[in-house]
Amino acid sequence: GGFVISGAMLYGFQPPKSNAIAYLFAFPSVSNMLSSWCQYEALKYVSFPTQMLFKCFKLFPIMLMGTLLGTKSYPPYDYIVALCIGIGIVVFLISTEPLEFGQDSIGETETIGGTICGILLLFFFLVFDSFTGQYQARLFNEFPELSAYTMMFMVNTFSMIFSFITLLHTHELYDACTFVINHADMHIHLIVFSIASTIGQLFIFKTIKAFGPVIFAICMNTRIILSILLSSLLYSHTISGSGLLGLFLVFAAIAYRIKRKTEGKQLIKWAGMNDHRSIEVFHEWHEHCDM
């Protein structure tokens, strides 16, 4: 579904051609598939709140991976901000849902070995997930003409190929096709899911291209907070004092990062400004509006 829709969008919008070699897109495709597999497989051994706990600190591996790949280096205060955001989300999550180790996602008791296996899977999830965003940012930096539409189509193409090979190797292709054919009611859901996920990918790639994977990760962490907060307001759930403290830590850390990023910079570009820093100022302004 994603392959077909992204191909249609690529054909319809006709972005400029890129000089990027095709095989380069296989790396983020594989890492994205592995990160998805790790996080879903981990739910067999750990609970969903435990998985969310690990996701709260994904900013650290993203910044470390960026330094490792040479995409970007980050100042020390960015690591402090990442720590505060992670701690704030953890405090907020624990105040809304109990964190229980030794249980899987359906509440059954898990052995120590199973719990360790789940934690290792979550660790590899963070590694592969951080590699995906930073490597895509690296491609965007190396090939400025590369568009989000091209990136989305190429990644989906390799994902489709690798998924097909995996299903063949595990002898699950026939069962998967049979299941889809025998359950006609799910067809509309597959179509809607494919459209929604493809559009979501487009916004992800555009965000990474314009602002980088760290800003994208901050947006995702903020989304977690806002979704839980909105749910609490809609269903009249009370937010404890520790939950409010967690909210304060998250938004205070984001505000501090904005302050440090804007020190000595003019955020508003008036008509007639054409100095060499205008592009940098433009990106900083949108980065802070995006958060």
Side-chain angles (χ1 to χ4, degrees):
F3 167 75
V4 175
I5 297 173
S6 61
M9 296 178 71
L10 182 67
Y11 178 79
F13 288 98
Q14 294 291 323
K17 294 183 178 180
S18 172
N19 295 323
I21 304 175
Y23 79 86
L24 294 175
F25 298 95
F27 299 111
S29 173
V30 172
S31 63
N32 184 55
M33 292 177 63
L34 289 174
S35 67
S36 298
W37 181 85
C38 286
Q39 71 166 329
Y40 296 137
E41 189 71 13
L43 291 176
K44 295 181 180 179
Y45 308 101
V46 298
S47 63
F48 182 73
T50 303
Q51 184 186 89
M52 295 300 297
L53 174 66
F54 274 76
K55 288 185 176 182
C56 293
F57 293 96
K58 66 187 300 182
L59 283 174
F60 274 103
I62 288 176
M63 289 190 291
L64 292 175
M65 187 64 70
T67 303
L68 181 63
L69 295 178
T71 305
K72 186 177 180 181
S73 59
Y74 300 92
Y77 70 80
D78 265 344
Y79 291 93
I80 297 175
V81 167
L83 178 63
C84 291
I85 290 176
I87 293 176
I89 296 178
V90 168
V91 171
F92 183 77
L93 288 177
I94 293 177
S95 70
T96 58
E97 189 170 0
L99 181 65
E100 296 181 357
F101 289 98
Q103 290 187 356
D104 59 16
S105 59
I106 59 176
E108 295 183 354
T109 303
E110 189 57 61
T111 63
I112 296 178
T115 301
I116 294 176
C117 180
I119 292 175
L120 287 176
L121 286 170
L122 290 175
F123 171 79
F124 283 115
F125 157 73
L126 292 177
V127 173
F128 292 128
D129 184 72
S130 59
F131 175 85
T132 301
Q134 288 290 6
Y135 194 84
Q136 289 168 345
R138 180 177 176 178
L139 290 179
F140 283 129
N141 292 334
E142 292 181 357
F143 305 97
E145 76 284 355
L146 179 62
S147 69
Y149 301 102
T150 303
M151 173 70 77
M152 181 172 59
F153 175 74
M154 294 303 297
V155 170
N156 280 326
T157 299
F158 279 105
S159 297
M160 180 190 66
I161 295 173
F162 293 141
S163 297
F164 180 77
I165 294 174
T166 302
L167 288 172
L168 281 179
H169 179 70
T170 57
H171 306 288
E172 296 179 358
L173 180 61
Y174 176 79
D175 293 337
C177 294
T178 303
F179 183 84
V180 173
I181 293 173
N182 293 338
H183 296 80
D185 293 342
M186 69 179 298
H187 294 172
I188 184 63
H189 297 286
L190 287 176
I191 294 173
V192 172
F193 178 78
S194 297
I195 294 174
S197 62
T198 304
I199 295 175
Q201 284 183 37
L202 178 62
F203 283 107
I204 289 173
F205 292 140
K206 282 185 173 291
T207 303
I208 292 176
K209 180 178 175 63
F211 309 113
V214 170
I215 294 299
F216 171 69
I218 292 177
C219 291
M220 292 299 98
N221 283 343
T222 306
R223 177 186 62 84
I224 295 173
I225 286 283
L226 293 178
S227 61
I228 298 176
L229 181 61
L230 180 61
S231 175
S232 300
L233 295 176
L234 289 177
Y235 297 101
S236 301
H237 296 159
T238 58
I239 301 176
S240 64
S242 59
L244 293 175
L245 176 62
L247 285 175
F248 174 78
L249 282 175
V250 171
F251 291 109
I254 294 175
Y256 175 75
R257 186 177 189 272
I258 294 175
K259 178 180 179 299
R260 291 297 300 266
K261 285 286 187 180
T262 56
E263 284 181 349
K265 295 182 180 180
Q266 186 175 2
L267 293 181
I268 300 177
K269 180 180 181 297
W270 302 103
M273 280 182 59
N274 55 1
D275 61 290
H276 68 282
R277 293 180 59 196
S278 60
I279 299 298
E280 178 185 356
V281 172
F282 174 79
H283 280 291
E284 287 293 343
W285 172 255
H286 279 277
E287 175 181 321
H288 304 137
C289 288
D290 187 64
M291 291 193 297

